[in-house]
Amino acid sequence: MTTNATSLFKPFSLGKLQLPTRIVMAPMTRSFSPEGIPGDDVAAYYGRRAAQDLGLIITEGTSVNREAARNDPKVPVFHGEEALAGWKKTVEAAHAHGCPIWPQLWHVGALPNPTISWRPSSPFESPSGAYKPSRSNGKAMSESDVRDCIEAFAKAARDAMNIGFDGVEIHGAHGYLIDQFFWDGSNHRDDHYGGENIAQRSRFAAEVIAAIRRATSADFPICIRLSQWKQQDFAAKLAPTPEAMEAWLRPLVDAGADVLHCSQRRFWEAEFEGSDLNFAAWARKLTGKPVITVGSVGLSGEFIAAFRGEASQPASLDTLMERFERGDFDLVAVGRALITDPAWASKVKAGQWESLTAFDPASLASLY
């Protein structure tokens, strides 16, 4: 591999926030926070990567203050004095190396975790009690539940700002709660949080974003992670056309989203027929907002396969750089490559292609 990736190491401005490079550590669930409390090992894990030419870290998903917001007791929470103290140490570990950091605020909705038997103390909740067509798990949220959940996101964002995070990302992808509101396969509500079209079903997400904006400062970046695909249905399409995509994204931008994080299983795949633009490129074209592309960057295999035990080899960045340099996206998120090798970005910067490490699924068993 002889890719020239120099342009990935130019700074980028998000309002007053200066990112030193264009490489983002993607949020990846690690489940190493017993009782939901991130410890010193979590801070050290992010600190090791902050020291290696990253422009931004987005933490693993961390749950807002709702009893059923997570489906794993080792997923970190973002509420309570002890958890917030742990997150403050993580902020300090990243900032020690000059790397900005955002938490990813999360609610899993009704999505079960098939790998464990643990259940939260309250029933799982979702727009209509379903997590995919004809599959329920828990209860349908009342309007009071919806309002309280919106406030929980806003409170978490305010706490993030107060303990030193540089912005927040809302998890609106991959079949979790916000995505369950977007999707007609799981949102069958007949109130103003439901609807026949994607613009109507975007109302919950838009209200979360607006509440976060009110709870934080005007220059505190708000990002939302989005996907067409879901764990429940890889082929799902919230927006089958560019017109539908604009109807989906516009309410989010109007509510105050500053950045759109566009998740694909493979970043190089075209979003619509007749164009090679990927999801991020279309989002940028339709909204004018900065976008992050993500999906198997730098590796030969896509990440769902990792959970089936499949390894991935280092892959060329030629296609990524071609699209980046023509202006398709502003930032590039890297996931599994950074789990196996904290120095991945620094090696790319130095052109040390031969020293890039293959992704080994065994690395998921430790927090290195």
Side-chain angles (χ1 to χ4, degrees), residues 256-277:
D258 300 296
V259 184
L260 304 175
H261 188 173
C262 301
S263 175
Q264 296 178 263
R265 291 169 63 206
R266 307 168 185 88
F267 81 88
W268 56 86
E269 292 183 341
E271 194 61 38
F272 304 116
E273 289 187 11
S275 166
D276 69 348
L277 297 182

Side-chain angles (χ1 to χ4, degrees), residues 29-214:
T29 298
R30 301 308 316 277
S31 297
F32 283 94
S33 297
E35 304 302 320
I37 308 302
D40 291 347
D41 56 343
V42 173
Y45 165 78
Y46 288 111
R48 277 189 289 275
R49 287 147 181 84
Q52 299 287 345
D53 290 297
L54 294 181
L56 173 67
I57 288 171
I58 304 175
T59 75
E60 63 207 284
T62 175
S63 65
V64 299
N65 193 8
R66 295 285 293 174
E67 287 292 331
R70 59 186 180 141
N71 57 14
D72 181 337
K74 293 184 179 180
V75 160
V77 302
F78 207 85
H79 53 85
E81 184 176 341
E82 191 174 0
L84 292 177
W87 282 121
K88 185 172 175 52
K89 289 182 180 179
T90 301
V91 171
E92 291 167 350
H95 286 177
H97 301 287
C99 184
I101 183 169
W102 301 344
Q104 186 190 65
L105 304 180
W106 194 25
H107 188 313
V108 302
L111 193 68
N113 185 336
T115 67
I116 59 175
S117 59
W118 179 87
R119 293 292 182 270
S121 57
S122 294
F124 287 110
E125 58 184 7
S126 72
S128 305
Y131 65 95
K132 66 179 183 179
S134 303
R135 291 292 182 91
S136 295
N137 183 39
K139 67 171 187 174
M141 297 171 75
S142 67
E143 289 202 27
S144 176
D145 290 330
V146 171
R147 289 193 299 270
D148 289 349
C149 190
I150 290 169
E151 178 52 35
F153 274 98
K155 174 65 164 57
R158 183 165 59 248
D159 287 340
M161 183 179 70
N162 289 340
I163 64 175
F165 278 98
D166 303 287
V168 293
E169 176 169 284
I170 309 158
H171 201 334
H174 303 168
Y176 296 115
L177 180 68
I178 291 175
D179 201 14
Q180 288 165 25
F181 273 90
F182 289 142
W183 190 27
D184 61 2
S186 51
N187 184 348
H188 310 132
R189 299 176 72 96
D190 58 9
D191 64 4
H192 50 278
Y193 293 106
E196 295 181 357
N197 62 60
I198 186 61
Q200 294 169 320
R201 297 191 302 274
S202 293
R203 179 166 182 164
F204 174 71
E207 290 192 7
V208 168
I209 294 166
I212 289 175
R213 176 55 67 219
R214 292 192 298 270

Side-chain angles (χ1 to χ4, degrees), residues 169 209 222-226 249-250 252-253 257-263 279-280 282-284 286-293 330-331:
E169 176 169 284
I209 294 166
I222 301 171
C223 176
I224 183 165
R225 196 178 214 206
L226 303 164
L249 302 182
R250 181 56 55 188
L252 312 180
V253 169
D258 300 296
V259 184
L260 304 175
H261 188 173
C262 301
S263 175
F279 180 14
W282 272 107
R284 192 176 193 271
L286 293 169
T287 68
K289 287 293 183 180
V291 297
I292 306 171
T293 197
D330 304 279
L331 301 166

